[in-house]
C-alpha cells in the first residue's frame, strides 16, 4: 500500500506513514458511508413512480354515480297527459283543415308524449300556445255573457291572458339543468385528472343537480300537472337523477373524512 499524502510505500495494514506521519485508517470508512447513502437513496428512487398513490375507491364510486346521474338527466323528465296529446292532435288537425279551405296561415303545434329537458323550450312554446288559446276562449265567452246580460266589459283578444307559470317553470328548469350538468362533467373530469384527490367541484355540481332535479320533480312538475298538461308520476327520471346526485355527495364527503 502507499501513503495517499506523500506516496511512500508502506506495509499492508499500516496505521501511520513512517515518512510524513499521515494517519491512514480514518478515510477508509468513507466509501462505506457513501455506499450506505447510495443504498438508502435507491429505495427512494424506486418508490418515486408510485408517489401518486392509489385511486380512492369512494371517489371511483362518486364518479360512477355522477355518470348515472347524468344519464338520467338526459332521459325524459316530462310525460304529457293523454288528454293534452289527444286535444292538441284534434286542434292541429282542425287548424290544418281551416288553412286548407281558406288559405289562411293557421297552424297549431302538437304535444309529444314525453320531453327531455333540452326539449323544454319546445314544450314551453306549445304549452303557452294552448294556454293562451284557452284563456282567449274563456275571455270571449265571458264577454258574450256580459253583453247578453247588459253588462259592459272591456276585453282585448289581441293580448293573451293565459298563465305564464308553466312556461316559466320549464325555462327555469332547463337553464339550471344545463348549467349544473356542465359543472358535474367538469367535476368528474377534474377528479379523474387528479386521481380522485380533488372531488370538491364534483360534489358541488352534484349538489346543484340534485337540487334542480328534486325541485322539478316535487315542485315545478306539479304546476304543469295542475294545468292538465302532465301525467301524474311522470317525473321518475328526475327523482332517480336527484338520488344518484345525493349518492355522489355522500361518497365525496365520506372520502374526505377518511382522508382527514
Amino acid at each position: 500500500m502507499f501513503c495517499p499524502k506523500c506516496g511512500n510505500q508502506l506495509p499492508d495494514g499500516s496505521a501511520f506513514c513512517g515518512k510524513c506521519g499521515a494517519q491512514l485508517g480514518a478515510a477508509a470508512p468513507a466509501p462505506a458511508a457513501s455506499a450506505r447513502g447510495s443504498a438508502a437513496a435507491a429505495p427512494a428512487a424506486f418508490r418515486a413512480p408510485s408517489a401518486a398513490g392509489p385511486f380512492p375507491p369512494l371517489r371511483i364510486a362518486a364518479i360512477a354515480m355522477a355518470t348515472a346521474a347524468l344519464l338520467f338527466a338526459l332521459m325524459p323528465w316530462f310525460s304529457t297527459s293523454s288528454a293534452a296529446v289527444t286535444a292538441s292532435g284534434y286542434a292541429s288537425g282542425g287548424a290544418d283543415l281551416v288553412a286548407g279551405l281558406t288559405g289562411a296561415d293557421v297552424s297549431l303545434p302538437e304535444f309529444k308524449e314525453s320531453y327531455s329537458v333540452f326539449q323544454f323550450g319546445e314544450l314551453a312554446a306549445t304549452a303557452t300556445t294552448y294556454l293562451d288559446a284557452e284563456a282567449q276562449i274563456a275571455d270571449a265567452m265571458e264577454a258574450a255573457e256580459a253583453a247578453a246580460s247588459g253588462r259592459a266589459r272591456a276585453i282585448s283578444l289581441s293580448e293573451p291572458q293565459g298563465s305564464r307559470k308553466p312556461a316559466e317553470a320549464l325555462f327555469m328548469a332547463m337553464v339550471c339543468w344545463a348549467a349544473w350538468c356542465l359543472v358535474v362533467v367538469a367535476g368528474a373530469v377534474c377528479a379523474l385528472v387528479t386521481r380522485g384527490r380533488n372531488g370538491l367541484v364534483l360534489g358541488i355540481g352534484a349538489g346543484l343537480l340534485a337540487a334542480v332535479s328534486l325541485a322539478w320533480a316535487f315542485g315545478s312538475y306539479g304546476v304543469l300537472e295542475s294545468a292538465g298538461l302532465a301525467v301524474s308520476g311522470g317525473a321518475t327520471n328526475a327523482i332517480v337523477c336527484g338520488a344518484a346526485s345525493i349518492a355522489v355527495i355522500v361518497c365525496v364527503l365520506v372520502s374526505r373524512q377518511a382522508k382527514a
Side-chain angles (χ1 to χ4, degrees):
M1 62 179 293
F2 296 88
C3 174
K5 185 174 181 180
C6 65
N8 182 37
Q9 185 174 4
L10 301 170
D12 293 337
S14 299
F16 295 93
C17 177
K19 184 177 180 180
C20 66
Q23 187 176 1
L24 304 177
S34 176
R36 286 195 302 270
S38 299
F46 179 76
R47 290 192 301 267
S50 61
F55 208 112
L58 284 173
R59 294 295 170 86
I60 296 176
I63 294 173
M65 295 307 299
T67 303
L70 289 172
L71 287 176
F72 278 95
L74 295 174
M75 292 183 180
W77 276 20
F78 180 86
S79 297
T80 314
S81 66
S82 58
V85 173
T86 303
S88 66
Y90 285 136
S92 178
D96 292 342
L97 179 61
V98 171
L101 293 174
T102 63
D105 185 12
V106 180
S107 64
L108 287 173
E110 292 186 49
F111 282 109
K112 298 178 181 178
E113 292 185 356
S114 61
Y115 292 86
S116 300
V117 183
F118 50 82
Q119 296 175 313
F120 276 8
E122 177 187 352
L123 174 58
T126 304
T128 301
T129 298
Y130 284 102
L131 290 173
D132 286 345
E134 182 181 356
Q136 287 182 347
I137 292 171
D139 281 346
M141 291 178 64
E142 188 175 344
E145 292 176 359
S149 61
R151 291 182 290 107
R153 182 180 184 275
I155 182 170
S156 174
L157 295 180
S158 62
E159 297 180 1
Q161 305 297 318
S163 173
R164 288 293 186 268
K165 288 184 178 180
E168 292 171 358
L170 287 165
F171 278 118
M172 183 62 67
M174 183 173 61
V175 171
C176 293
W177 168 86
W180 307 153
C181 282
L182 290 176
V183 175
V184 171
V185 171
V189 171
C190 182
L192 286 172
V193 170
T194 60
R195 294 187 59 80
R197 291 194 300 274
N198 189 351
L200 180 61
V201 178
L202 179 59
I204 292 174
L208 295 171
L209 184 58
V212 71
S213 59
L214 295 179
W216 165 259
F218 298 108
S220 301
Y221 193 84
V223 175
L224 297 166
E225 189 177 348
S226 63
L229 300 178
V231 63
S232 179
T236 304
N237 289 330
I239 296 173
V240 175
C241 176
S245 300
I246 292 174
V248 173
I249 301 170
V250 172
C251 290
V252 171
L253 291 177
V254 172
S255 65
R256 287 178 68 88
Q257 291 291 333
K259 187 177 180 181

